Amino acid sequence: MERRTFLASGLSALAVIGAPQTGLAAAGSASRSASVPNATARYVLGLARSLARRPFAAPAERLPAALANLDYDQYRQVSFRGEKAVWNKEDLGFEVQFFPSAYLYTMPVSIFLVEDGRSRRLRSDASLFDFGPFAENVPPGTPVGFSGFRIHAPINRRDYYDEFLVFQGASYFRGLGKGHRYGLSARALALHTTGDEVEEFPIFRSFWIERPATSDAITVHALLDSPSVAGAFTFVIRPGRATVMDVSSVLFPRQDLQNVGIAPLTSMFLKSAHDPDGPLDFRPSVHDSDGLAVWNGQDERLWRPLLSPSTFQVSAFVDKGPRGFGLIQRERRFDDYQDLEAFYELRPSGWVTPVGDWGAGSVELVEIPTDTEYVDNIVAYWKPDSPLRAGRSYNFAYQLAWCADAPALGRMQVRDTRIGAGARPGTVRFVVDFAENRARERIADSAVILSDAPPVALVDPDLSASAGTLSGPFVQPNPHMPGTRVVFELDPGQEPVVELRLTLRDQGEPVSETWLYRWCA
């Protein structure tokens, strides 16, 4: 299923009224060891637990025909009236605006505000939105539900509140750090993304948005539901150069879940220098993310360039106690894309840091064939080894950062991967550039490449292949980064798939990420 066009096929409001009229003093235990849930979080937790005891009931659609019949371009002409934003001109550091139920977003969600220790449900009507050329089809008083919301803050300028986070469509959300443009998305949960079962998209039925106590952070609670599972989520959101979300979740499976993805990220990869077999296009690269980064429980840092494969591909990076993973956008120069409209060089990366011990499992990467940039074809998530059993509860907490790159952690990072024809027929040449940490920081921050830095010391390449024959590797300093370039050739012979692995070492100790690549005939 196309995730970017799916988004809203299962949204609705849950008739949840009468949230507890109590103060928000912290009490009780937490699903996240570093925090204590307040009254609203406990209330949503109770709703999720109760919901899981009943069979799933698909939400009812309630949408006027005039809105249901809007197409994509028409929906984009509908806007929220900014002067009606929640906390408009109150100088709280945050404002909230809403999206109408229309187009694909056919079923509204319930949205509550929590202020002064009390919860009240927001009521929506046509007066909140500017329908532009379609206004005559949506007269005053027309019931118009909410399909989601966006949060604004002065993230780029002190005197202007920019949109930096959106919740809309199933359980999707996406964020921005300072200077970013929207790219990859996150979801609350992935179910049956691989395997024989039809993929299931849980939905957020209801949201509770707390009035911010300070200008630094805002808290959102959400009630998750689907045929297989119900759940309660709390997001503590701190915008900035990297926008950071502390996510606490409790899941209540209705049935045993064998194929579940925790902290899923969804992105698009069409082509790049390391996988140029995309459609004929004037742009050298087209992608929202170009690699999967993993920091595993063995303190190994992995970098796997993304591919747009000819067949459905799944890669599992087996681990125990993962320390982090994410879909990363490392190509940060305009020249990498030559696109004056898409601004791919400004797309954020998404980095997940687990809180607590997630046990045994794997970071699973899914790569789906595509011939267009308008379809999300990349998914990454944590897949536990043990199934989630019906009738029990499961806590998962993590931090999600919308940022420039994965943390360097003192090691050289892969800057570029390029492939081409080898010296002999049937061989493939690989050129892999590793950048020193300070070069990576400058590239990510300002797209400036250092050329006046002293050459880096050469290191030993540790290169292996699952099949075929390797020639090289050859190592040379790359003063234009600065960093180290490794060149080698692969003769795959008759092998249809070869897994490659490369690490730079100094006196036997790793000094770089481990570069991984799947070559397919």
Side-chain angles (χ1 to χ4, degrees):
M1 182 176 289
E2 297 181 1
R3 289 162 184 79
R4 189 164 293 189
T5 56
F6 167 80
L7 291 183
S9 63
L11 294 178
S12 176
L14 175 66
V16 177
I17 58 176
Q21 306 299 307
T22 60
L24 299 182
S29 61
S31 63
R32 184 174 185 272
S33 60
S35 64
V36 177
N38 61 23
T40 304
R42 294 197 304 272
Y43 175 68
V44 178
L45 183 66
L47 288 176
R49 182 183 292 110
S50 176
L51 197 63
R53 296 188 183 120
R54 306 192 300 268
F56 175 74
E61 298 186 17
R62 302 185 301 274
L63 189 65
L67 299 180
N69 294 330
L70 295 182
D71 61 25
Y72 172 76
D73 291 328
Q74 291 171 331
Y75 185 67
R76 292 191 62 186
Q77 296 181 60
V78 179
S79 61
F80 186 82
R81 298 184 184 277
E83 69 275 10
K84 297 181 180 293
V86 173
W87 307 313
N88 179 41
K89 296 183 179 180
E90 292 192 36
D91 198 27
L92 294 180
F94 297 93
E95 294 180 0
V96 181
Q97 300 186 14
F98 303 94
F99 298 105
S101 294
Y103 177 46
L104 294 177
Y105 307 96
T106 56
M107 292 172 289
V109 297
S110 299
I111 299 178
F112 299 81
L113 285 187
V114 181
E115 298 180 300
D116 300 324
R118 302 179 67 87
S119 173
R120 64 182 177 91
R121 183 172 178 173
L122 297 179
R123 303 295 178 180
S124 176
D125 60 50
S127 66
L128 296 177
F129 302 97
D130 181 355
F131 290 93
F134 319 108
E136 62 182 20
N137 298 325
V138 191
T142 300
V144 178
F146 296 127
S147 65
F149 63 95
R150 60 192 184 194
I151 306 177
H152 295 235
I155 191 171
N156 295 306
R157 290 166 37 191
R158 293 182 179 180
D159 60 343
Y160 185 80
Y161 279 48
D162 283 303
E163 173 187 330
F164 76 94
L165 189 71
V166 168
F167 286 88
Q168 188 185 32
S171 67
Y172 281 81
F173 56 97
R174 57 180 181 168
L176 301 171
K178 182 177 181 180
H180 291 154
R181 300 290 184 98
Y182 280 123
L184 83 166
S185 300
R187 283 185 283 167
L189 195 66
L191 294 174
H192 317 309
T193 303
T194 62
D196 296 330
E197 297 182 76
V198 176
E199 185 168 12
E200 186 175 315
F201 291 85
I203 62 173
F204 282 138
R205 286 183 176 268
S206 304
F207 294 94
W208 290 257
I209 307 171
E210 293 193 20
R211 181 183 179 91
T214 71
S215 61
D216 298 326
I218 186 170
T219 298
V220 175
H221 309 275
L223 179 65
L224 184 82
D225 199 13
S226 80
S228 299
V229 64
F233 281 72
T234 294
F235 304 89
V236 180
I237 305 153
R238 301 186 301 276
R241 181 174 180 178
T243 290
V244 178
M245 305 174 71
D246 292 327
V247 184
S248 302
S249 67
V250 184
L251 304 177
F252 300 93
R254 288 188 171 94
Q255 60 191 49
D256 291 351
L257 300 178
Q258 301 281 350
N259 194 352
V260 58
I262 306 299
L265 301 172
T266 302
S267 193
M268 180 276 295
F269 179 91
L270 184 62
K271 62 175 291 189
S272 187
H274 67 260
D275 184 26
D277 297 331
L280 185 63
D281 197 302
F282 73 92
R283 299 166 295 181
S285 294
V286 181
H287 51 72
D288 288 335
S289 307
D290 57 356
L292 169 72
V294 177
W295 182 16
N296 65 26
Q298 291 72 49
D299 199 29
E300 188 177 26
R301 284 74 154 180
L302 308 178
W303 174 257
R304 163 64 152 75
L306 298 177
L307 304 172
S308 180
S310 58
T311 60
F312 189 93
Q313 299 278 337
V314 180
S315 303
F317 304 87
V318 178
D319 198 7
K320 184 176 182 180
R323 302 186 182 188
F325 67 91
L327 293 176
I328 308 300
Q329 183 78 318
R330 282 203 175 155
E331 292 186 330
R332 290 293 179 187
R333 300 164 297 194
F334 169 78
D335 286 347
D336 292 326
Y337 305 96
Q338 288 292 332
D339 193 320
L340 292 171
E341 298 178 356
F343 299 102
Y344 285 115
E345 68 275 12
L346 300 180
R347 304 295 170 100
S349 300
W351 179 255
V352 174
T353 303
V355 174
D357 185 1
W358 281 12
S362 59
V363 174
E364 196 159 89
L365 172 66
V366 181
E367 297 167 301
I368 304 169
T370 185
D371 58 2
T372 174
E373 65 197 277
Y374 303 111
V375 174
D376 284 340
N377 65 319
I378 304 295
V379 189
Y381 48 78
W382 172 256
K383 182 179 179 180
D385 272 355
S386 300
L388 307 189
R389 299 296 185 186
R392 301 181 184 179
S393 63
Y394 296 86
N395 302 345
F396 292 94
Y398 56 93
Q399 187 178 87
L400 171 58
W402 307 92
C403 53
D405 202 339
L409 303 172
R411 298 192 183 182
M412 299 175 71
Q413 291 181 307
V414 177
R415 173 63 182 90
D416 288 308
T417 301
R418 297 179 175 86
I419 65 173
R424 293 175 290 111
T427 61
V428 183
R429 177 172 294 179
F430 289 83
V431 179
V432 184
D433 281 315
F434 293 84
E436 287 189 321
N437 293 327
R438 60 195 184 96
R440 281 290 326 136
E441 292 169 1
R442 288 285 297 277
I443 291 170
D445 185 40
S446 62
V448 173
I449 295 182
L450 307 179
S451 59
D452 56 352
V456 298
L458 292 184
V459 290
D460 296 321
D462 182 358
L463 175 66
S464 63
S466 63
T469 304
L470 294 170
S471 299
F474 305 99
V475 182
Q476 61 186 130
N478 183 347
H480 300 283
M481 234 165 234
T484 297
R485 171 168 290 186
V486 180
V487 181
F488 65 92
E489 293 189 3
L490 168 69
D491 184 351
Q494 300 302 312
E495 296 292 335
V497 177
V498 179
E499 301 284 355
L500 298 165
R501 184 180 182 94
L502 171 64
T503 307
L504 300 184
R505 298 184 181 274
D506 184 7
Q507 298 181 358
E509 295 298 319
V511 294
S512 74
E513 294 176 320
T514 295
W515 173 88
L516 306 172
Y517 192 92
R518 173 177 290 175
W519 179 88
C520 299

